[in-house]
Amino acid sequence: MTEDPISGMVVAITGASSGIGEATARLLASAPRSRADTGRLAVPPGNHPKGRYPDPDMALQLSRMPLWRLRDFHDDDLDQAISVWDQSREPTEATPAFRVSEVVSAARSGQPAVVAVVGDQLVGIAVAQINGDRAWITMVALSNRWRNRGIGSALLAELELRLRALGARRISALLPASATGTAALRNTGYTERTDLSFFESVDHIGPSDAGLLHALGGRIMGRGLWDAMAGMETEKRMIERRIVLPLARPEVAARYGVSPPKAVILFGPPGTGKTSFAKAVAGRLGWPFVELFPSRLAATDVTMPTALREMFGSLTELEAAVVFIDEVEEIAGARSGIPSDPAHGVTNELLKLIPAFRTQQERLLICATNSVRSLDSAFLRPGRFDYIIPVGPPDALARKAIWTRYLGPTAGSVEVDKLVEATDMFTPADIEFAARKGAQCAFEREIESGDGDPARTDDYLAAISETRPTLTDGMLTEFDEDIETRTRL
């Protein structure tokens, strides 16, 4: 620390024991001054440890700022470090390559991490991971009030010294284009590469999640489930655009002001594919699928509201999850108004749990019901569910696609159009049952005769005639009314 002989102002930049800060302070103290330049620093180029130094205006800004110093990251810096990281990110900024939990874990395990502090306040942090002679800078974050003051460059210089001392020969950083730290990297001599593409496949189940997921009865769904949803193209397109894409591409959604959904309701007659859609969404996102069964929440020693609260509490420990509640009307039906009604407690509990669930990242609640009109009005209010989406019976085109899928290699020998016409009131589940029954009939005939004939149209028509359709005219009338009055897209 030194006193400016012209202005009397104290000029000081302090650093860690490596000497970067002290070297800079000595450089500032010894730099020639021009009285005609009203006290600006005239720093000779090339004297800075990195081969350059910010312009004189920047140096003057540094001389006016409170003292800051660099030191190692300590475990008790965690809360402030996360706060600084939150401040350093813009709302529309792309998701970083290294998650904050990963960065913090590396810093706490002894990987190189440097912080800038003013008194007891942490104002900047830089963290890296090193493996052999290769190192990655995983985070550069600065408090909003302390940007554009050279702290980022100083943090990187200090971090680089430590990495070099540990044997790093190649140091890289992977940051969003506009992220905090990109300017500092350019200023400290790093070469920017724009000729590379970043590819990533994320497994949302860590070692600590596997046991919990098993205990919750959850599982990972295959990514192929989405493509296997034959037919139902209208519903599929709606669910993809409203649910899947904003969650799968959050950086693009943020750029256009689209908020990814946190909770949705799928409603429609039984057997129309609501559960299949929920599983397919989980598969597309690569998130674990956890189904909550209302009937299993009741126990002799635990009330349903308590069991529901404990289940949602356990879900917070997963890194990501699609939570599915089928026949949600069992725990969210319209309340009777009778205070002693035991259903009130579990409905009230669910109403309280949903807002808290919505505050968590990488979470999606999907509730399915056969009768959306039977749900409690408070449950359906905006603010709890982003969308209320109808999933209806398949039309002729959808039934043809579903039949073609289930017929497989025998589709060429079957008059599919006749099957489509005969299954007007069938749900996808009904069609699957009839297709399996027709195939079984052809299989048994082959076992008896051995003539090698493929399955015939009559085999499937016979199976259709023996299958009771799920849908009724009354169901379809009610569903059409609900589409008009309760859909929210």
Side-chain angles (χ1 to χ4, degrees):
M1 183 162 57
T2 183
E3 183 175 333
D4 180 351
I6 298 174
S7 65
M9 186 177 298
V10 173
V11 179
I13 299 180
T14 64
S17 58
S18 60
I20 285 293
E22 289 85 343
T24 306
R26 287 196 298 273
L27 173 62
L28 288 171
S30 62
R33 293 201 177 254
S34 167
R35 291 183 181 274
D37 203 22
T38 8
R40 282 209 238 174
L41 289 171
V43 181
N47 289 345
H48 184 262
K50 293 296 295 182
R52 62 185 59 74
Y53 195 76
D55 60 40
D57 287 327
M58 177 67 77
L60 185 60
Q61 291 176 30
L62 289 172
S63 69
R64 295 179 187 276
M65 62 187 285
L67 301 182
W68 54 268
R69 62 188 178 88
L70 305 180
R71 62 164 173 81
D72 287 326
F73 171 87
H74 302 154
D75 282 351
D76 55 8
D77 294 326
L78 178 59
D79 290 342
Q80 288 194 70
I82 293 176
S83 176
V84 167
W85 182 81
D86 286 337
Q87 292 179 42
S88 70
R89 297 193 66 228
E90 297 295 332
T92 59
E93 187 177 296
T95 303
F98 299 94
R99 300 170 64 91
V100 66
S101 58
E102 182 181 0
V103 174
V104 169
S105 177
R108 299 182 74 177
S109 68
Q111 290 283 354
V114 182
V115 297
V117 294
V118 176
D120 294 331
Q121 181 187 5
L122 191 149
V123 298
I125 180 171
V127 184
Q129 294 186 38
I130 183 170
N131 184 10
D133 64 353
R134 184 71 143 106
W136 285 93
I137 297 171
T138 56
M139 175 189 284
V140 181
L142 296 173
S143 176
N144 287 338
R145 293 179 51 209
W146 291 85
R147 296 185 182 185
N148 303 317
R149 303 191 187 191
I151 298 179
S153 297
L155 282 166
L156 287 172
E158 185 70 25
L159 188 64
E160 182 174 337
L161 278 178
R162 300 182 185 205
L163 291 170
R164 299 297 186 197
L166 293 170
R169 294 294 174 264
R170 188 175 184 184
I171 303 174
S172 304
L174 190 60
L175 302 174
S178 60
T180 300
T182 52
L185 286 163
R186 296 185 189 102
N187 292 339
T188 49
Y190 284 79
T191 301
E192 185 172 7
R193 297 282 304 274
T194 59
D195 57 338
L196 301 175
S197 296
F198 177 60
F199 297 92
E200 183 176 48
S201 177
V202 179
D203 183 357
H204 290 274
I205 295 296
S208 60
D209 288 344
L212 176 60
L213 186 63
H214 178 74
L216 293 172
R219 56 196 187 278
I220 299 296
M221 295 295 166
R223 294 185 181 273
L225 282 180
W226 183 263
D227 293 332
M229 293 288 293
M232 313 294 287
E233 291 303 320
T234 300
E235 291 83 357
K236 192 175 179 180
R237 182 167 55 253
M238 181 64 66
I239 289 172
E240 180 176 44
R241 294 180 178 182
R242 294 292 197 276
I243 301 176
V244 175
L245 293 179
L247 290 168
R249 304 286 300 281
E251 69 286 350
V252 179
R255 194 185 311 153
Y256 290 91
V258 174
S259 299
K262 296 289 188 177
V264 299
I265 293 176
L266 305 180
F267 75 90
T272 51
K274 299 181 290 294
T275 300
S276 297
F277 269 120
K279 292 177 178 178
V281 167
R284 269 289 295 272
L285 295 173
W287 295 2
F289 178 84
V290 180
E291 183 170 0
L292 304 187
F293 297 92
S295 60
R296 299 181 188 176
L297 291 174
T300 55
D301 55 340
V302 179
T303 64
M304 284 188 70
T306 300
L308 189 64
R309 184 168 57 252
E310 291 176 351
M311 178 67 76
F312 271 78
S314 298
L315 289 169
T316 63
E317 300 178 32
L318 292 174
E319 183 177 316
V322 172
V323 181
F324 179 63
I325 305 178
D326 196 10
E327 298 183 357
V328 71
E329 63 271 17
E330 291 186 17
I331 55 175
R335 286 168 286 188
S336 64
I338 302 173
S340 60
D341 189 342
H344 285 198
V346 69
T347 302
N348 291 338
E349 188 63 39
L350 186 57
L351 291 174
K352 290 187 292 184
L353 289 169
I354 292 174
F357 181 90
R358 293 181 61 88
T359 64
Q360 302 169 52
Q361 298 300 312
E362 297 192 327
R363 296 287 191 283
L364 176 65
L365 173 64
I366 302 179
C367 294
T369 178
N370 298 332
S371 178
V372 67
R373 62 179 60 191
S374 68
L375 296 177
D376 192 270
S377 59
F379 192 69
L380 296 173
R381 287 175 191 156
R384 288 193 170 90
F385 290 91
D386 302 278
Y387 302 113
I388 301 176
I389 302 175
V391 180
D395 58 17
L397 286 176
R399 292 199 303 277
K400 185 170 184 177
I402 295 169
W403 269 113
T404 301
R405 173 191 171 195
Y406 288 124
L407 290 173
T410 65
S413 62
V414 174
E415 298 175 85
V416 178
D417 289 340
K418 286 188 176 181
L419 307 186
V420 171
E421 184 180 354
T423 51
D424 183 41
M425 299 291 283
F426 277 42
T427 66
D430 295 334
I431 294 174
E432 180 183 7
F433 177 79
R436 192 168 61 246
K437 190 176 181 69
Q440 180 68 28
C441 178
F443 167 74
E444 292 176 359
R445 185 177 63 250
E446 171 63 20
I447 293 298
E448 293 176 0
S449 65
D451 55 15
D453 288 342
R456 305 165 185 163
T457 303
D458 289 343
D459 294 326
Y460 293 103
L461 289 175
I464 290 169
S465 67
E466 296 173 5
T467 301
R468 179 181 300 173
T470 298
L471 300 175
T472 65
D473 290 332
M475 285 182 184
L476 295 180
T477 299
E478 181 178 303
F479 178 63
D480 289 339
E481 292 172 355
D482 289 340
I483 290 176
E484 294 297 324
T485 58
R486 291 175 170 83
T487 296
R488 184 187 305 151
L489 296 174

